[in-house]
């Protein structure tokens, strides 16, 4: 399970809208399955159908999380025109079985979470949206 606040969800939705028709993406940093910070990232693919991170930005996000005593617990991206489910491309590119992949669908206004095993099985991960960001 992953918990994130309404505020973080609203920020993801706003970023998705701002970057449409391309996919928006980023990291959530936190601990113990609770997201505490959002790090928006550039979609290096600038594509409506897939995304990738810039290695330099990725390194900066990792550093920022470490300095805050947090871990990068989830990777999120938006689906500007399709439902919140893992596309074939998403599954293919999901190479960290310990990361939660969050997908926010703009048309559905919904976020769902998934993990992907090493043998590419997709498991749904419950997303709990909380009223406030816990401290
Ligand atoms: Zn996707």
């Amino acid at each position: 399970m992953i918990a994130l606040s309404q505020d973080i969800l609203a920020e993801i939705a706003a970023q998705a809208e701002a970057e449409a028709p391309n996919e928006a993406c980023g990291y959530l940093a936190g601990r113990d399955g609770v997201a505490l910070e959002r790090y928006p990232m550039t979609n290096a693919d600038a594509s409506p159908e897939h995304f990738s991170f810039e290695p330099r930005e990725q390194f900066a996000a990792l550093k920022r999380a470490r300095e805050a005593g947090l871990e990068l617990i989830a990777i999120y991206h938006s689906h500007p025109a399709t439902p919140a489910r893992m596309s074939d491309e998403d599954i293919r590119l999901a190479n960290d079985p310990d990361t939660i992949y969050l997908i926010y669908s703009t048309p559905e206004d919904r976020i769902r979470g998934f993990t992907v095993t090493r043998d590419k099985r997709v498991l749904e991960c419950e997303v709990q949206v909380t009223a406030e960001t816990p401290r």
Side-chain angles (χ1 to χ4, degrees), residues 5 12 21 24 48 51-52 56 59 64 66 72 96 118 125 130:
S5 67
I12 292 172
F51 74 98
S52 68
R56 226 159 43 107
F59 181 75
R64 186 174 162 189
R66 278 198 187 138
L72 298 176
D96 183 353
R118 277 183 214 286
C125 169
T130 59

Side-chain angles (χ1 to χ4, degrees), residues 98-119:
D98 297 321
T99 287
I100 296 168
Y101 295 90
L102 293 171
I103 301 178
Y104 172 77
S105 162
T106 303
E108 291 183 326
D109 187 24
R110 179 183 187 202
I111 195 159
R112 288 172 74 193
F114 304 92
T115 53
V116 181
T117 64
R118 277 183 214 286
D119 56 352

Side-chain angles (χ1 to χ4, degrees), residues 55-134:
R56 226 159 43 107
E57 263 187 55
Q58 239 175 325
F59 181 75
L62 187 62
K63 190 162 172 258
R64 186 174 162 189
R66 278 198 187 138
E67 282 170 1
L70 305 175
E71 289 172 55
L72 298 176
I73 60 171
I75 292 172
Y76 68 86
H77 72 282
S78 67
H79 281 180
T82 55
R85 58 170 175 251
M86 295 286 279
S87 68
D88 291 345
E89 188 77 348
D90 290 336
I91 296 166
R92 196 175 67 77
L93 296 172
N95 51 21
D96 183 353
D98 297 321
T99 287
I100 296 168
Y101 295 90
L102 293 171
I103 301 178
Y104 172 77
S105 162
T106 303
E108 291 183 326
D109 187 24
R110 179 183 187 202
I111 195 159
R112 288 172 74 193
F114 304 92
T115 53
V116 181
T117 64
R118 277 183 214 286
D119 56 352
K120 298 294 181 188
R121 275 185 308 128
V122 179
L123 306 172
E124 182 139 18
C125 169
E126 190 193 332
V127 180
Q128 189 182 4
V129 179
T130 59
E132 285 177 37
T133 302

Side-chain angles (χ1 to χ4, degrees), residues 20-80:
N22 291 340
E23 291 190 357
C25 56
Y27 282 111
L28 296 185
R31 62 170 83 88
D32 302 326
V34 178
L36 301 172
E37 292 183 8
R38 182 186 66 105
Y39 304 155
M41 302 279 287
T42 304
N43 180 356
D45 293 347
S47 159
E49 279 157 13
H50 47 91
F51 74 98
S52 68
F53 292 154
E54 308 255 11
R56 226 159 43 107
E57 263 187 55
Q58 239 175 325
F59 181 75
L62 187 62
K63 190 162 172 258
R64 186 174 162 189
R66 278 198 187 138
E67 282 170 1
L70 305 175
E71 289 172 55
L72 298 176
I73 60 171
I75 292 172
Y76 68 86
H77 72 282
S78 67
H79 281 180

